[in-house]
Amino acid sequence: YVVEMHLVTGGVDESTGQSRGARKRPRAALGLQSGGISSPARARREGQSLKSYLAERVKEYDEPLPPEMLRKYIAFAKHYCHPKLSLPACRTLQSFYLELRQKGSMCDSTPITTRQLESLIRLSQARAKLELRDVVTEADAKDIVSLLRDSLLDAFTDDAGVVDLQRSSGMSMGKLCKALISQLRRVAKKNQNPVFTVEQMKLEAKSINILHQIPDFRELLDILNQQCFLLKKGNGKYKLSAD
């Protein structure tokens, strides 16, 4: 259901990554010509790692974009590009999400929920938006899966192949995460304010007697941010995501 909400309607032009019938955009406002900055990226070779692919792509550009052009490009993408998922992209993200669910259910670890699926979708849409496209292609989805494999599975998969956040500290980090999030939700509901500072969260952890069990509080916050339980708001503040 979550994936279907973002599925593109109508056909897709595979050569451009645009949905058929998509409105034309004033590309001249950015000075974009065919083959220019927003031309479709060369696809990764079969079996090529994302890191290697990006390293090759960087070498294709002699100079970085001027700051003014970069600001215009980002503003243009935000205003005009609202990518939807193609069916192949849906299948790729769904398959990876189910893989995460299966690995996460094999033992006591932080549960994999629809938050992670929604994160996959948002990252894939951002990948397509980067090239000013209306449709998330299978290649976009594969890039995001590769990124998540490097950042999540490699870091939090044990020798048995189980996704478990406790590997980050050698403790039962999954249980500590659950306990802190539960306490923060109680406090947020009571105060009708889902925003917390780091010091406030430390006090809440101390109030439920788990602060001394956390070897690195910043690391725990990073984990909760990666899992989309907490969202960084700047100035040392975090917003608790909705249930």
Side-chain angles (χ1 to χ4, degrees):
Y1 172 74
V2 173
V3 171
E4 287 180 354
M5 289 173 58
H6 300 273
L7 188 63
V8 68
T9 57
V12 176
D13 186 340
E14 296 296 339
S15 63
T16 63
Q18 306 285 11
S19 61
R20 296 193 180 97
R23 61 175 177 170
K24 294 183 178 180
R25 308 189 185 98
R27 297 163 60 86
L30 271 179
L32 301 178
Q33 305 298 327
S34 59
I37 183 175
S38 64
S39 58
R42 171 177 50 78
R44 272 196 293 160
R45 297 187 300 273
E46 186 69 27
Q48 183 182 24
S49 69
L50 182 60
K51 182 178 180 180
S52 171
Y53 169 72
L54 292 176
E56 289 182 3
R57 291 282 294 165
V58 168
K59 294 177 182 177
E60 296 177 7
Y61 301 95
D62 297 329
E63 298 179 0
L65 282 176
E68 183 62 27
M69 171 61 80
L70 182 59
R71 283 194 291 270
K72 287 183 179 180
Y73 192 86
I74 293 173
F76 184 92
K78 284 183 175 180
H79 183 77
Y80 289 105
C81 300
H82 307 285
K84 295 290 187 178
L85 299 178
S86 65
L87 189 56
C90 286
R91 290 170 177 162
T92 298
L93 297 180
Q94 185 180 48
S95 176
F96 181 64
Y97 171 68
L98 293 176
E99 177 186 339
L100 287 179
R101 292 271 296 183
Q102 183 180 22
K103 290 180 179 294
S105 64
M106 293 173 63
C107 73
D108 180 23
S109 63
T110 299
I112 304 297
T113 68
T114 53
R115 287 189 181 90
Q116 283 70 48
L117 178 57
E118 290 167 351
S119 295
L120 286 168
I121 292 172
R122 286 195 298 270
L123 286 169
S124 298
Q125 290 172 326
R127 176 69 183 85
K129 186 179 291 189
L130 185 64
E131 295 181 4
L132 307 183
R133 287 188 275 103
D134 291 317
V135 177
V136 178
T137 65
E138 183 179 13
D140 294 327
K142 286 182 176 180
D143 281 349
I144 298 308
V145 167
S146 295
L147 180 66
L148 265 292
R149 285 190 188 280
D150 289 342
S151 63
L152 178 62
L153 290 186
D154 288 353
F156 300 121
T157 302
D158 61 20
D159 295 336
V162 175
V163 178
D164 191 353
L165 298 183
Q166 68 183 15
R167 284 175 57 80
S168 61
S169 67
M171 299 175 60
S172 180
M173 187 64 77
K175 290 184 177 180
L176 294 175
C177 288
K178 292 177 185 178
L180 179 58
I181 289 297
S182 295
Q183 175 64 11
L184 293 179
R185 282 178 176 157
R186 285 192 290 269
V187 174
K189 183 177 181 179
K190 178 181 178 181
N191 298 335
Q192 296 186 339
N193 183 8
V195 178
F196 295 86
T197 65
V198 174
E199 289 305 315
Q200 286 175 326
M201 288 187 284
K202 282 186 176 181
L203 289 175
E204 295 305 329
K206 185 176 181 180
S207 71
I208 56 175
N209 201 32
I210 63 170
L211 183 61
H212 68 283
Q213 301 180 53
I214 304 173
D216 189 332
F217 198 78
R218 289 283 183 178
E219 182 180 11
L220 180 138
L221 295 183
D222 287 342
I223 291 172
L224 292 175
N225 180 240
Q226 291 172 9
Q227 293 290 306
C228 299
F229 289 106
L230 291 176
L231 305 177
K232 286 185 178 180
K233 300 294 289 182
N235 298 322
K237 295 183 179 180
Y238 291 79
K239 181 179 180 181
L240 187 66
S241 62
D243 292 344

